[in-house]
Amino acid sequence: MTGALIAIGALFFLLFLLIFLIVISIKGRQKAKKQMKENKISAQVLLHHVEGLPLSEKTQCQVSVTDTGLVINGGGTDFKIDATQIRATEVKTDTEIANIVKSSAAKGIAGGLLFGPIGLVVGARATSKEKKTNTYYLIINYTNVAGDLTALMFDGGNSPFGAQKIVNKLKPIIIDNPKQTVQL
């Protein structure tokens, strides 16, 4: 009888603990949604920095799309890019980047121009024929404060969903940006 009471007590304790954790989780999500709404954030994803910011490679960054542009928090620093500065954004796989680099007559130059120095590294990683999964990269082309066209690259891992979420929210706010001519 005492064993049955202990078992029932343990069952009620576990049930109470489960309900408590569910309530905490729901409140945490509600708080995060409220904070996103207050900051006018339409999408927010954690990605790893590859190229384009004064951060080391693989630094985890919180990439957020606001109604005015892009905010990247990484390494204890906030980086902001106004929507009017953003020229293009897309998600590419390492295989796609490697194919672009391979198909160019001047492979090294193309990799460097299209994706920066990391384009060569990404292209080299994707050449293995045994590879069965892709790595997805978020690429953002923008005009910096000096007026130069430059790029950011983030590693989205084996799933395109986080990076694509950023692209889907950015494209509507940059569609009317004026064209820019760059003298090469």
Side-chain angles (χ1 to χ4, degrees), residues 2-176:
T2 309
L5 288 176
I6 292 173
I8 291 172
L11 184 62
F12 277 116
F13 175 75
L14 290 174
L15 184 61
F16 174 75
L17 184 63
L18 181 64
I19 291 170
F20 176 74
L21 291 174
I22 290 171
V23 168
I24 294 290
S25 174
I26 290 170
K27 286 190 178 205
R29 277 190 245 139
Q30 288 173 341
K31 184 179 177 183
K33 281 184 181 181
K34 182 180 176 186
Q35 189 176 23
M36 284 178 66
K37 194 174 215 177
E38 287 173 359
N39 294 329
K40 298 181 180 177
I41 296 172
S42 59
Q44 192 170 61
V45 178
L46 290 175
L47 300 170
H48 290 95
H49 174 257
V50 176
E51 177 77 22
L53 296 174
L55 298 171
S56 63
E57 188 177 346
K58 298 191 185 221
T59 299
Q60 189 174 30
C61 296
Q62 183 175 11
V63 181
S64 306
V65 178
T66 68
D67 57 345
T68 60
L70 195 66
V71 177
I72 302 152
N73 180 290
T77 305
D78 284 342
F79 301 93
K80 295 182 181 183
I81 304 173
D82 192 77
T84 59
Q85 294 174 268
I86 300 172
R87 297 293 163 231
T89 181
E90 62 185 335
V91 176
K92 292 269 187 208
T93 66
D94 50 355
T95 306
E96 289 172 315
I97 294 169
N99 288 340
I100 291 168
V101 172
K102 278 184 194 175
S103 68
S104 171
K107 295 176 188 169
I109 294 171
L113 288 177
L114 293 173
F115 306 107
I118 201 67
L120 298 173
V121 176
V122 171
R125 288 181 194 162
T127 57
S128 170
K129 296 198 185 240
E130 296 174 20
K131 188 171 179 141
K132 293 184 176 38
T133 61
N134 283 321
T135 301
Y136 293 87
Y137 292 93
L138 170 64
I139 303 166
I140 301 165
N141 295 324
Y142 70 100
T143 305
N144 64 17
V145 293
D148 300 327
L149 190 61
T150 189
L152 292 175
M153 186 181 277
F154 295 94
D155 183 339
N158 295 332
S159 170
F161 299 116
Q164 194 61 52
K165 185 177 176 181
I166 297 296
V167 169
N168 292 345
K169 294 294 182 175
L170 265 181
K171 282 197 175 187
I173 63 173
I174 66 169
I175 197 151
D176 292 329

